[in-house]
């Protein structure tokens, strides 16, 4: 009779959950609101400018994709900087493209500013990552 030993390594689950504290939830909520505004306005924008409508969809997908990565084991501290830059790019693009001033734009840009601030705070307070994928 032979015995076999198993050399299985246990990987962390793909979805690891959200860190504790209120700031991550504020950041996620703000990102969801901004994504919703971009998706909501896409059908309106597509009537005037197809390229801009595509950019709206990509912005919404960027926020949703960021949330998915944030909840996964692939998230790293440095990604907070990318999240802040992505949200800041949305704000800058609005002004560069002379976006119209309306309630939806104000809500979207305000929530993106919240993402910038929350991601910056989380970057500053998070422990540096030393592990690799």
């Amino acid at each position: 009779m032979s015995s076999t030993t198993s050399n299985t390594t246990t990987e962390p689950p793909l979805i690891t959950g959200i860190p504790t504290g209120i700031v991550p939830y504020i950041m996620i909520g703000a990102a969801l609101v901004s994504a919703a505004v971009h998706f909501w306005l896409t059908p309106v924008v597509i009537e005037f400018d197809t390229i801009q409508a595509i950019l709206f969809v990509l912005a919404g997908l960027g926020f949703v994709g960021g949330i998915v990565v944030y909840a996964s084991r692939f998230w790293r501290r440095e990604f907070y900087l990318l999240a802040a830059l992505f949200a800041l790019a949305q704000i800058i693009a609005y002004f560069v493209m002379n976006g119209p001033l309306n309630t939806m734009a104000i809500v979207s840009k305000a929530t993106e500013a919240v993402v910038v601030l929350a991601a910056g705070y989380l970057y500053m307070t998070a422990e540096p990552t030393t592990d690799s994928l």
Side-chain angles (χ1 to χ4, degrees):
M1 191 170 235
S2 69
S3 67
T4 60
T5 56
S6 174
N7 289 346
T8 59
T9 59
T10 306
E11 290 187 28
L14 181 60
I15 302 298
T16 58
I18 305 302
T20 59
I22 189 76
V23 178
Y25 291 104
I26 291 171
M27 184 176 70
I28 290 170
L32 284 173
V33 169
S34 184
V37 168
H38 281 91
F39 289 140
W40 180 267
L41 291 177
T42 298
V44 175
V45 173
I46 201 165
E47 293 179 13
F48 304 105
D49 189 351
T50 306
I51 299 297
Q52 192 171 359
I54 292 169
L55 293 174
F56 270 52
V57 170
L58 291 175
L61 290 174
F63 282 113
V64 171
I67 293 167
V68 170
V69 173
Y70 186 58
S72 77
R73 67 179 172 170
F74 301 111
W75 186 261
R76 300 292 178 260
R77 176 178 179 251
E78 294 76 20
F79 292 172
Y80 288 120
L81 295 177
L82 291 176
L85 288 173
F86 181 77
L88 186 60
Q90 303 304 312
I91 297 168
I92 292 169
Y94 171 77
F95 290 107
V96 168
M97 298 178 81
N98 295 321
L101 185 60
N102 57 41
T103 303
M104 296 297 259
I106 293 169
V107 167
S108 177
K109 299 311 130 195
T111 58
E112 289 158 5
V114 169
V115 170
V116 171
L117 294 173
Y121 171 81
L122 291 169
Y123 175 77
M124 297 300 290
T125 59
E127 292 292 322
T129 52
T130 57
D131 58 341
S132 62
L133 297 176

